[in-house]
């Protein structure tokens, strides 16, 4: 019996051994997370040298593999994956890119270097991150992806750009960073198609940006577009269809609430007339957008090419068809190795766009501002036969037509609101229209000589040409004496900007043992000219109107108004880089710029920078089995300049003999008047920055973390509006002047973790957070204790923003309050100056537009052919001030909380004053709200179709996706949109009736051949 049992067990063991030792052939395909096929991937049986590589289509086949074997998939720049064979015969793998690879090359000024050798504060965004984005503009791609970078839309209208701030607003004027596209300075990146971008580098600290000298004070954004790669012709096509809507929590008073509110204010003439219009619902509607991109690329051993075309067609969410944007972009990138020592390249893009817009961001004449304050007792249109007689009489008495829609229905005229207030739907569609037709041609060509190892010389010529043809037309109408136009009025301005830039620079690198040296030296010259080709405006009577033909004699025409301000600059620059065994790092740079924009004595500026780094993990004492793979300490200091707020000729006094088109006549003699007074003492605006940083990687580089402390001090900040320091009695204004010193400081944190599990789940989580403290530490040209007055608003004749020593730059200015008087319902104003009585001297800081904390993040998941991406961003601690209220117009609508939280009877404890006292609150901190928010910028689901389906259409990859962009916002702000943009440097956080960002549901596909 025992012998029989032993025989049975032996047979079972033998059978099991046969099962698990039965070798087989394993096949499969390897892709990256974007669905691109990966040729050349190493597939090895773990613990052996037996393996293979994937072919051009990412396929592999490996014979004689045991079920007990583990396959290891490795590829440069990708995280390795190990998979147990088991009972599988087909194993498809998706490799995830190791975005934090220490060998990753990042682009820096006039060159590139390994990320492990970087000593400055540089953030990178690569094409894979951009590809997952469904944004239509480059600026939006940056939102929430890197620490210390704020991107806020200047308007939600189609085609509008965004304001980019790197480490806060470092200037009292323009704080935009410098844009470099393929080595060429670009006046704008608005017309760069996101699909054409290979990677974006953001130079945040002074040491990284100092090589750009005069224009690096506000940081540098370097964009490198795509190049052709070897492997035959590659064709890619991307298409998006989007549905746009308004997502807001803002509510206005309805008709019954409005009537009650007005009656409580003593305006008993306001009665319910049967209308109840929700002007937010009527002003905004659903709009479509679509975008198509196609590119062809390829390369041989000596030649590469990349060419693309992109078209975007976007309607706006304002009801009607007067807000839209169309853009077509064409790009060609070529590179040729003419000989072993000579390389030639061309990068060129041409873009044309057509933008139709409406009056916006105005606290008196904006479509959205009108929608927020027009009484709800006004209809959108009148029903047939119900047009009030006063509407007909006003039109007849002033010989103007009625405002009608496309179906002949008469638009509703305000039932009770007075002054400038107009039906916003009529305003947007039949009254005022602005169109901007523009084009940009940005091109650069270079020759790179490499006569011997380590040495190269590059000569690069770039050209940037832009033209904007802006037309504004106003049809005749009569609503009130303040809101009327009795003729057909129009204007046209064609402005042209041309800039050429010629740069020559040489670099030499040498390794001697463990010592590595790199030298860079260069010279550049540039010239910019701005010319107004045509400037004309005028009006035509209703009787003579045949169309808005600006060639008619009714329009006064001025041609070829050349901007007299010179804008030439020559520069010399150099950089020295050193590292010892990749462990001890040092870099120094120096740039000297000479610009015609400054007075003769101060034309030149010199900008030095130094940085150092220590890779601690390369020291001998570092344990090889440490979970912490990499640790680097960084420190940098540098200075940058800025001339972006200068028009030039600051050292000249301007005199004119013509005012408003008429010759100045003084007792029969031609007179003259000073229009601008010279400032011979104007000096360079200089930004000095200290940065201390730590970079680390852990757990086989799956975890990455960096922290930076920065202190950025902008001295001699330039303000272009000389009227701020010129007495009104002078009769003229000063030219640009140096206003003072601004300090920004804070911490930046970036954290990332990514991996692929054994069952094939791919995940990557990235988050960033930065703090910001903004303060004016010095103010010049005004008496001690006084301020520069900033943006104006109807409710505060003293300006609603100020530039004051010891305060945040351009903080909100008004009265502080201490609640609502329970007895009277009036606002209790705080006496801040210690003198009895409330006067203008009691106005003070009532809020800051600068956030204390900025944050963002991204979560990417993938399993087999499915992928998911979530992106978010937000701010904490910034304020928003509402200025769309009209203190001179008592009968205007208001947000709902003015009604629900108002004082009504003696003894009430309320947040807002009684209806009869609300106008007194317009210049107080009751208009200031917490602007903190978190917005889900994107929720995207994607699916890559299986290979056997894609092959039927002879394609290599097909991915379809749906994306919800800007769909969910979490905020306490009760306005339309907490992400309030701005058109002016001193109006940050000012809500004048801001065009909100549209929520988008996007359906897209990406197809590769």
């Amino acid at each position: 019996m025992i012998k029989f049992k032993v025989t049975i067990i032996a047979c079972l063991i033998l059978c099991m051994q046969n099962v698990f030792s039965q070798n087989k052939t394993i096949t499969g395909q390897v892709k990256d997370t974007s669905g691109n096929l990966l040729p050349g991937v190493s597939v090895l049986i773990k613990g052996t040298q037996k393996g293979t590589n994937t072919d051009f289509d990412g396929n592999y086949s490996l014979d004689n593999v045991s079920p007990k074997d583990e396959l290891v998939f490795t590829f440069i720049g990708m995280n390795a994956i190990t998979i147990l064979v088991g009972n599988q015969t087909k194993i498809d793998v998706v490799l995830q890119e190791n975005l934090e690879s220490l060998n990753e090359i990042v682009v820096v000024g006039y060159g590139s270097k390994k990320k492990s050798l970087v000593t400055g504060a540089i953030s990178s965004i690569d094409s894979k991150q951009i590809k997952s984005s469904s944004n239509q503009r480059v600026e939006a791609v940056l939102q929430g992806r890197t620490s210390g970078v704020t991107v806020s839309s200047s308007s939600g209208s189609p085609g509008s750009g965004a304001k980019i701030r790197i480490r806060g607003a470092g200037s009292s004027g323009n704080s935009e960073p410098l844009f470099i596209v393929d080595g060429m300075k670009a006046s704008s990146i608005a017309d760069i198609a996101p699909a054409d971008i290979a990677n974006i580098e953001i130079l945040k600290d002074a040491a990284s940006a100092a090589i750009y000298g005069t224009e690096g004070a506000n940081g540098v954004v370097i964009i490198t577009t795509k190049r052709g790669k070897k492997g035959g012709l590659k064709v890619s096509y991307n298409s998006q269809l989007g549905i746009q809507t308004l997502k807001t929590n803002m509510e206005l008073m309805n008709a019954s609430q409005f009537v009650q509110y007005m009656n409580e204010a003593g305006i008993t003439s306001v009665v319910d007339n049967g209308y109840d219009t929700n002007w937010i619902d009527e002003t905004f509607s659903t709009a479509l957008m679509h975008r198509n991109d196609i590119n062809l690329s390829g390369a041989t051993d000596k030649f590469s090419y990349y060419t693309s075309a992109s078209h975007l067609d976007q309607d706006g969410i304002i009801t009607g068809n007067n807000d839209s944007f169309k853009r077509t972009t064409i790009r060609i990138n070529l590179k040729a190795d003419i000989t072993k020592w000579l390389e030639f390249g061309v990068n060129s893009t041409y873009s044309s766009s057509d933008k139709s817009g409406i009056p916006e961001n105005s606290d008196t004449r904006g479509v959205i501002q009108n929608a927020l304050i027009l009484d709800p007792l006004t209809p959108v249109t009148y029903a047939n036969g119900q047009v009030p007689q006063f509407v007909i009489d006003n039109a007849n008495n002033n010989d103007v037509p009625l405002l009608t829609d496309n179906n002949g229905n008469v638009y509703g005229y305000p039932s009770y609101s007075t002054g400038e207030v107009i039906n916003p739907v009529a305003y947007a569609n039949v009254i005022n229209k602005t169109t901007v037709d523009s084009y940009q041609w940005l091109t650069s060509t270079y020759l790179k000589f490499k006569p011997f190892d380590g040495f190269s010389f590059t000569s690069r010529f770039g050209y940037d040409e832009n033209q904007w043809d802006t037309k504004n037309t106003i049809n005749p109408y009569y609503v009130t004496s303040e809101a009327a136009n009795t003729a057909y009025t129009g204007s046209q301005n064609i402005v042209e900007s041309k800039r050429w830039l010629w740069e020559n620079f040489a670099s030499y690198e040498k390794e001697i043992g463990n010592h590595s040296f790199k030298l860079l030296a260069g010279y550049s010259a540039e010239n910019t000219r701005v010319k107004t080709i045509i400037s004309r405006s005028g009006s035509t009577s209703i009787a003579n109107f045949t169309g808005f033909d600006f060639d008619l004699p009714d329009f006064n025409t001025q041609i070829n108004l050349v901007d007299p301000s010179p804008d030439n600059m020559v520069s010399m620059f150099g950089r020295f880089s050193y590292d010892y065994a990749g462990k001890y790092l040092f870099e120094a740079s120096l740039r000297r710029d000479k610009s015609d924009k400054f007075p003769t004595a101060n034309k030149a500026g010199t900008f030095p920078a130094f940085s150092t780094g220590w890779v601690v993990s390369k020291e001998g004492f570092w344990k090889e089995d440490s979970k912490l793979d990499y640790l680097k300490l960084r420190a940098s200091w540098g200075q940058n300049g800025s001339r972006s707020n200068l028009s030039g000729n600051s050292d000249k006094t301007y005199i004119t003999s013509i005012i408003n088109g008429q010759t100045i006549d003084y007792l029969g003699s031609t007179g003259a008047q000073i229009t601008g007074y010279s400032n011979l003492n104007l000096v360079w605006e200089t930004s000095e920055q200290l940065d201390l940083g730590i970079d680390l990687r852990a757990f086989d580089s799956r975890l990455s973390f960096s922290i930076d402390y920065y202190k950025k001090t902008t001295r001699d900040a330039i303000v272009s509006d000389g009227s701020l320091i010129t007495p009104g009695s002078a009769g003229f204004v000063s030219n640009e002047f140096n206003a003072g010193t601004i300090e920004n400081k804070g911490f930046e944190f970036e954290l990332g973790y990514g991996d692929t599990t054994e069952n094939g789940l791919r995940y990557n989580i990235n988050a960033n957070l930065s703090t910001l403290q903004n303060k004016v530490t010095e103010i010049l040209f005004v008496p001690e204790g006084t301020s520069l007055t900033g943006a104006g608003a109807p409710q505060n004749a003293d300006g609603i923003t100020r530039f004051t020593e010891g305060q945040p730059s351009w903080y909100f200015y008004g009265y502080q309050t201490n609640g609502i008087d329970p007895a009277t319902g009036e606002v209790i104003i705080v006496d801040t100056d210690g003198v009895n009585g409330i006067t203008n001297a009691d106005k003070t800081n009532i809020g800051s537009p600068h956030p204390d904390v900025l944050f963002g993040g991204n979560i990417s998941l993938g399993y087999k052919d499915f992928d998911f991406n979530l992106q978010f961003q937000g701010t904490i601690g910034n304020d928003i001030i509402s200025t769309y209220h009209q203190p001179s117009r008592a009968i205007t609508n208001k947000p709902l909380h003015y009604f629900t939280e108002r004082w009504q009877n003696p003894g009430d404890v309320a947040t807002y004053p009684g209806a009869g006292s609300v106008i007194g609150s317009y210049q107080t901190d009751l208009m200031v709200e917490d602007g903190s928010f978190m917005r889900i910028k994107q929720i995207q689901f994607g699916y890559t179709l299986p290979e056997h389906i894609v092959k039927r259409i002879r394609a290599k990859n097909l991915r379809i996706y749906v994306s919800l962009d800007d769909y969910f916002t979490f905020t306490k702000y009760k306005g339309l949109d907490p992400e309030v943009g701005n058109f002016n440097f001193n109006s940050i956080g000012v809500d004048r009736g801001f065009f909100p960002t549209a929520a988008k549901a996007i359906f897209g596909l990406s197809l590769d051949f």
Side-chain angles (χ1 to χ4, degrees):
M1 186 67 179
I2 294 176
K3 183 177 180 181
F4 176 75
K5 289 182 178 181
V6 171
T7 303
I8 293 291
I9 293 172
C11 290
L12 289 174
I13 293 174
L14 182 61
C15 290
M16 292 176 63
Q17 185 177 3
N18 288 335
V19 170
F20 284 99
S21 62
Q22 185 177 1
N23 293 346
K24 51 190 173 181
T25 298
I26 304 296
T27 62
Q29 190 175 63
V30 183
K31 300 179 180 179
D32 64 13
T33 54
S34 298
N36 297 313
L37 302 173
L38 293 179
V41 176
S42 172
V43 185
L44 284 175
I45 298 176
K46 188 174 181 179
T48 73
Q49 297 298 315
K50 182 182 178 182
T52 186
N53 292 322
T54 57
D55 61 17
F56 177 73
D57 293 321
N59 297 312
Y60 72 93
S61 177
L62 190 58
D63 298 327
N64 200 26
V65 181
S66 167
K68 297 181 294 182
D69 287 336
E70 292 179 309
L71 300 185
V72 181
F73 297 82
T74 57
F75 190 69
I76 296 176
M78 300 283 184
N79 292 326
I81 292 181
T82 301
I83 296 178
L84 176 66
V85 173
N87 60 1
Q88 302 177 86
T89 58
K90 189 174 190 298
I91 300 176
D92 293 331
V93 171
V94 177
L95 293 181
Q96 186 174 31
E97 184 176 8
N98 182 359
L99 296 177
E100 303 298 335
S101 171
L102 299 179
N103 291 319
E104 179 186 349
I105 301 297
V106 297
V107 177
V108 296
Y110 302 100
S112 61
K113 62 169 55 178
K114 288 184 179 180
K115 194 164 189 175
S116 60
L117 302 178
V118 169
T119 52
I122 300 177
S123 294
S124 300
I125 301 173
D126 76 347
S127 60
K128 294 188 182 298
Q129 294 170 286
I130 297 170
K131 188 173 183 178
S132 69
S133 171
S134 45
N135 298 113
Q136 285 70 47
R137 295 180 64 98
V138 178
E139 304 100 311
V141 173
L142 302 176
Q143 289 183 310
R145 293 188 182 273
T146 61
S147 63
V149 179
T150 307
V151 182
S152 59
S153 174
S154 59
S155 168
S157 62
S160 294
K163 298 291 185 182
I164 300 175
R165 298 289 180 267
I166 297 176
R167 292 182 168 177
S171 176
S172 59
N174 182 10
S175 294
E176 288 285 286
L178 172 66
F179 299 112
I180 304 293
V181 180
D182 294 324
M184 173 62 188
K185 293 179 184 179
S187 55
S188 169
I189 58 174
D191 294 328
I192 304 296
D196 288 339
I197 297 176
N199 56 277
I200 303 174
E201 260 75 46
I202 303 171
L203 314 185
K204 297 187 289 188
D205 67 325
S208 301
I211 197 67
Y212 291 107
T214 176
E215 292 171 306
N218 297 310
V220 181
V221 176
I222 300 178
I223 295 175
T224 304
T225 57
K226 293 179 179 178
R227 304 289 186 270
K229 297 180 180 179
K230 293 182 180 180
L233 173 65
K234 180 179 179 181
V235 180
S236 296
Y237 172 73
N238 300 285
S239 182
Q240 292 180 352
L241 173 65
I243 302 172
Q244 306 169 99
T245 55
L246 173 68
K247 295 288 184 181
T248 183
N249 294 322
M250 187 178 191
E251 295 183 79
L252 302 173
M253 296 183 199
N254 62 26
S256 63
Q257 294 163 339
F258 180 77
V259 170
Q260 182 179 346
Y261 194 85
M262 289 296 109
N263 291 169
E264 290 179 8
I267 307 174
T268 57
S269 60
V270 176
V271 296
D272 195 333
N273 61 2
Y275 292 114
D276 187 2
T277 304
N278 184 322
W279 283 110
I280 292 179
D281 289 347
E282 298 295 342
T283 304
F284 296 95
S285 62
T286 300
L288 294 177
M289 57 169 288
H290 58 85
R291 183 181 119 195
N292 293 282
D293 304 317
I294 187 169
N295 65 70
L296 295 83
S297 62
T300 64
D301 290 337
K302 293 187 176 182
F303 181 75
S304 70
Y305 60 92
Y306 176 91
T307 180
S308 69
S310 174
H311 180 75
L312 169 67
D313 193 338
Q314 181 180 12
D315 291 329
I317 58 174
I318 294 291
T319 298
N321 57 4
N322 269 3
D323 58 327
S324 62
F325 179 68
K326 295 181 180 180
R327 181 190 67 203
T328 300
T329 302
I330 299 173
R331 168 168 290 278
I332 297 176
N333 291 345
L334 304 173
K335 185 179 80 71
D337 293 322
I338 299 174
T339 67
K340 291 183 178 180
W341 52 270
L342 179 60
E343 178 184 313
F344 169 77
V346 175
N347 304 290
S348 186
T349 183
Y350 178 85
S351 178
S352 65
S353 63
D354 301 312
K355 184 181 188 301
S356 295
I358 59 168
E360 57 173 305
N361 200 35
S362 170
D363 38 36
T364 57
R365 298 285 185 178
V367 169
I368 296 168
Q369 184 260 354
N370 278 239
L372 299 180
I373 67 173
L374 177 58
D375 64 77
L377 302 171
T378 298
V380 179
T381 59
Y382 298 111
N384 290 334
Q386 297 184 9
V387 180
Q389 188 61 43
F390 81 90
V391 174
I392 298 173
D393 291 343
N394 274 343
N396 292 335
N397 293 339
N398 292 278
D399 295 323
V400 297
L402 292 170
L403 296 172
T404 59
D405 64 13
N406 293 333
N407 298 318
N409 299 312
V410 178
Y411 278 112
Y413 285 57
S415 297
Y416 292 102
S417 296
T418 60
E420 302 87 353
V421 186
I422 306 174
N423 182 326
V425 181
Y427 199 4
N429 288 283
V430 296
I431 294 179
N432 196 318
K433 182 178 181 179
T434 300
T435 62
V436 182
D437 298 331
S438 64
Y439 73 80
Q440 180 188 40
W441 180 35
L442 180 66
T443 186
S444 62
T445 181
Y446 70 91
L447 285 171
K448 186 174 184 179
F449 301 87
K450 296 173 283 187
F452 54 88
D453 288 343
F455 179 83
S456 68
F457 175 81
T458 302
S459 182
R460 180 169 58 208
F461 182 83
Y463 183 74
D464 182 10
E465 179 176 315
N466 296 264
Q467 187 180 99
W468 303 269
D469 183 352
T470 304
K471 296 177 182 176
N472 177 257
T473 58
I474 305 175
N475 291 326
Y477 68 99
Y478 191 96
V479 177
T480 64
S481 58
E482 297 92 348
N485 184 47
T486 57
Y488 287 91
T489 305
S491 64
Q492 180 185 28
N493 286 278
I494 301 178
V495 179
E496 183 181 73
S497 171
K498 296 180 179 180
R499 171 166 58 185
W500 59 258
L501 171 65
W502 187 28
E503 296 179 307
N504 297 275
F505 52 94
S507 66
Y508 179 70
E509 51 187 312
K510 181 71 173 178
E511 291 187 7
I512 304 175
N514 289 325
H515 303 274
S516 295
F517 304 89
K518 189 170 185 178
L519 289 170
L520 171 75
Y523 171 87
S524 71
E526 64 179 283
N527 171 279
T528 303
R529 285 292 179 268
V530 178
K531 180 172 65 175
T532 301
I533 300 174
I534 292 177
S535 177
R536 50 192 177 186
S537 62
S539 61
T540 303
S541 67
I542 297 175
N544 295 331
F545 182 72
T546 58
F548 281 107
D549 185 350
F550 289 96
D551 291 325
L552 292 175
D554 288 331
F555 293 94
N556 176 38
T557 303
Q558 295 175 303
I559 300 176
N560 291 332
L561 303 178
V562 179
D563 187 340
S565 303
D567 192 359
N568 304 301
M569 189 170 74
V570 293
S571 309
M572 293 181 291
F573 51 90
R575 181 172 59 213
F576 170 72
S577 304
Y578 167 80
D579 75 88
Y580 176 78
K583 181 165 52 177
Y584 306 119
L585 317 173
F586 175 78
E587 187 167 274
S589 66
L590 183 69
R591 178 160 178 144
R592 182 173 176 83
D593 294 314
K594 187 176 182 180
S595 171
D596 282 343
K597 282 193 171 186
F598 288 89
T600 302
N602 302 320
K603 287 187 181 298
T606 303
F607 308 101
F610 305 92
S611 60
T612 185
W614 177 28
V615 183
V616 184
S617 53
K618 287 199 172 185
E619 294 289 356
F621 57 77
W622 197 264
K623 294 181 180 180
E624 291 186 3
D625 58 351
S626 173
K627 296 295 184 182
L628 191 62
D629 310 317
Y630 178 83
L631 175 63
K632 179 170 65 177
L633 309 180
R634 295 179 281 105
S636 69
W637 173 92
Q639 291 183 338
N640 307 104
S642 176
R643 62 189 184 114
S644 58
N645 296 312
L646 285 176
S647 60
N649 289 332
S650 60
D651 56 344
K652 294 179 175 60
T653 297
Y654 291 94
I655 300 175
T656 185
S657 59
I658 299 176
I659 298 293
N660 296 325
Q662 301 295 320
T663 301
I664 299 174
D665 182 88
Y666 181 73
L667 299 178
S669 301
T670 300
Q673 179 176 318
I674 295 175
T675 60
Y677 197 72
S678 65
N679 179 6
L680 299 177
N681 298 316
L682 187 75
V683 299
W684 286 82
E685 178 177 301
T686 303
S687 173
E688 180 177 297
Q689 192 171 171
L690 171 70
D691 186 280
L692 304 174
I694 300 174
D695 300 325
L696 63 84
R697 312 282 183 270
F699 309 117
D700 294 327
S701 291
R702 291 191 291 271
L703 173 71
S704 64
F705 176 74
S706 67
I707 178 174
D708 281 83
Y709 168 78
Y710 68 92
K711 182 178 180 182
K712 180 180 179 181
T713 305
T714 303
R715 295 185 173 86
D716 299 312
I718 295 174
V719 170
S720 59
D721 186 0
S723 66
L724 298 179
I725 62 170
T726 309
S729 59
F732 58 86
V733 297
S734 170
N735 293 340
E736 301 95 340
F737 65 99
N738 299 109
T741 302
I742 303 171
E743 181 182 277
N744 289 286
K745 61 182 179 180
F747 289 90
E748 296 175 350
F749 305 88
E750 292 190 3
L751 176 67
Y753 190 88
D755 198 7
T756 301
T757 64
E758 289 186 359
N759 61 4
L761 174 66
R762 311 178 302 276
Y763 62 92
N764 200 300
I765 302 171
N766 295 279
N768 64 79
L769 182 146
S770 57
T771 65
L772 173 64
Q773 296 181 37
N774 173 280
K775 185 169 67 173
V776 177
T777 58
E778 180 188 28
I779 188 169
L780 306 173
F781 285 100
V782 295
E784 185 175 351
T786 60
S787 309
L788 294 177
T789 303
Q795 65 246 53
N796 194 340
D798 299 317
I800 54 167
T801 62
R802 288 289 176 102
F803 189 83
T804 306
E805 185 173 329
Q807 299 287 348
S809 60
W810 305 114
Y811 62 90
F812 302 141
Y813 183 71
Y815 291 117
Q816 291 182 357
T817 63
N818 188 25
I820 306 302
D821 189 334
T824 65
E826 296 179 350
V827 178
I828 301 173
I829 305 295
V830 177
D831 189 336
T832 61
D833 68 349
V835 179
N836 288 334
I838 301 300
T839 66
N840 281 353
D842 292 302
K843 292 181 179 178
T844 185
N845 184 342
I846 58 173
S848 170
H850 308 288
D852 299 320
V853 176
L854 305 97
F855 63 90
N858 186 273
I859 300 173
S860 298
L861 303 174
Y863 182 72
K864 293 186 177 179
D865 294 326
F866 294 92
D867 61 83
F868 168 80
N869 187 72
L870 184 147
Q871 184 187 349
F872 62 90
Q873 76 160 110
T875 63
I876 299 174
N878 58 298
D879 296 314
I880 297 174
I881 186 168
S882 302
T883 66
Y884 50 78
H885 304 284
Q886 280 286 357
S888 62
R889 313 299 177 195
I891 310 178
T892 54
N893 204 4
K894 296 167 183 63
L896 180 59
H897 59 276
Y898 282 59
F899 179 84
T900 57
E901 301 176 36
R902 76 192 189 283
W903 179 94
Q904 298 180 68
N905 301 299
D908 285 351
V909 177
T911 304
Y912 285 87
S917 304
V918 68
I919 292 177
S921 69
Y922 286 167
Q923 54 181 329
T924 73
D925 56 13
L926 287 178
M927 299 300 105
V928 178
E929 295 184 52
D930 182 3
S932 305
F933 74 96
M934 184 181 80
R935 172 163 283 169
I936 306 299
K937 298 298 297 179
Q938 180 187 80
I939 301 178
Q940 186 181 106
F941 294 90
Y943 176 68
T944 301
L945 273 66
E947 180 186 0
H948 68 275
I949 296 178
V950 175
K951 279 188 174 181
R952 293 177 183 176
I953 59 174
R954 300 188 178 182
K956 294 180 179 178
N957 181 67
L958 174 59
R959 177 178 177 265
I960 56 176
Y961 61 90
V962 59
S963 183
L964 298 179
D965 291 8
D966 300 312
Y967 234 78
F968 304 100
T969 303
F970 306 94
T971 182
K972 294 181 179 179
Y973 181 58
K974 297 176 182 178
L976 282 174
D977 187 354
E979 201 173 347
V980 173
N982 61 86
F983 288 96
N984 209 336
F985 64 91
N986 59 11
S987 299
I988 301 173
V990 177
D991 189 349
R992 303 181 186 277
F994 176 70
F995 198 126
T997 300
K1000 308 171 192 69
I1002 297 176
F1003 305 90
L1005 65 87
S1006 299
L1007 182 62
D1008 296 323
F1009 293 95

